[in-house]
Amino acid sequence: MHRVPATTKDRILERSAELFRRQGYAGTGVKQIVAEASAPFGSLYHFFPGGKQQLGEQVIRRSGALYGELIDAFFIPGSDAESATRAFFAAAAETLRETDYADACPIATVALEVSSTSERMRLACAEVFSGWIDAAAERLVAGGLPRDRARELAISMLASLEGAFVLARALRSTEPVEVAGTAAAASVRAALDSARASAARREA
């Protein structure tokens, strides 16, 4: 299939996302962005009149949507939620190894930097995280969990993964992600067993 070349705007968004993920929002300048995107300097302000902050918001939402698709890829309707959880964390660990610990969550690095200094950026990060939580919770509900418990587990899984990413990058080891994945899968299994036991008692 013929691939349509990326537009200048797409290149700016893609390179910004990679740079923010690897070196942070504050550590990335607009000159570096346009240079690596092979774009004229003025094009950034043409597409993003609000400058770097507007670009940052769009990068967050775009990256959030792309990474959110991973939830659908692993938590397939009808699949076992425990196995899906294990596979999800295992894939995260593999990505860290393959990228020499450079690529983790595209949102967390920015969120830690800007949540206390830019309300617009904070809201964009919050929107993405909320979307991930809602999507994961819906998949867990489809897997047989009560809605309240599914949301609790979705938040716990995301918090565990984000924390594990921080430890993994500092330690240069996937052990934190692997341990977090084992714990998350065990929590999902326990919740499923509890839900099934409750359903059996109601039917008795």
Side-chain angles (χ1 to χ4, degrees), residues 89 108 156-170 176-177 180:
F89 277 80
S156 176
M157 288 167 58
L158 179 58
S160 296
L161 182 61
E162 297 294 0
F165 276 147
V166 173
L167 291 176
R169 294 183 75 178
V177 178

Side-chain angles (χ1 to χ4, degrees), residues 70-125:
L70 293 175
I71 295 173
D72 292 336
F74 284 93
F75 291 85
I76 301 169
S79 66
D80 176 66
E82 178 188 7
S83 298
T85 300
R86 290 186 185 279
F88 185 78
F89 277 80
E94 182 61 24
T95 297
L96 285 173
R97 283 190 292 268
E98 290 178 348
T99 62
D100 196 25
Y101 298 90
D103 287 356
C105 176
I107 310 303
T109 303
V110 177
L112 288 170
E113 287 185 273
V114 305
S115 291
S116 298
T117 58
S118 171
E119 182 64 7
R120 286 175 59 183
M121 295 279 282
R122 183 197 70 77
L123 287 171
C125 292

Side-chain angles (χ1 to χ4, degrees), residues 9-10 14 42 57 71 73 115 124 126 128 138 141 160 164 168 170 194 196:
K9 183 177 181 180
D10 287 336
E14 290 166 3
E57 288 180 81
I71 295 173
S115 291
V128 169
E138 286 300 321
V141 169
S160 296
S194 176
R196 288 165 183 161

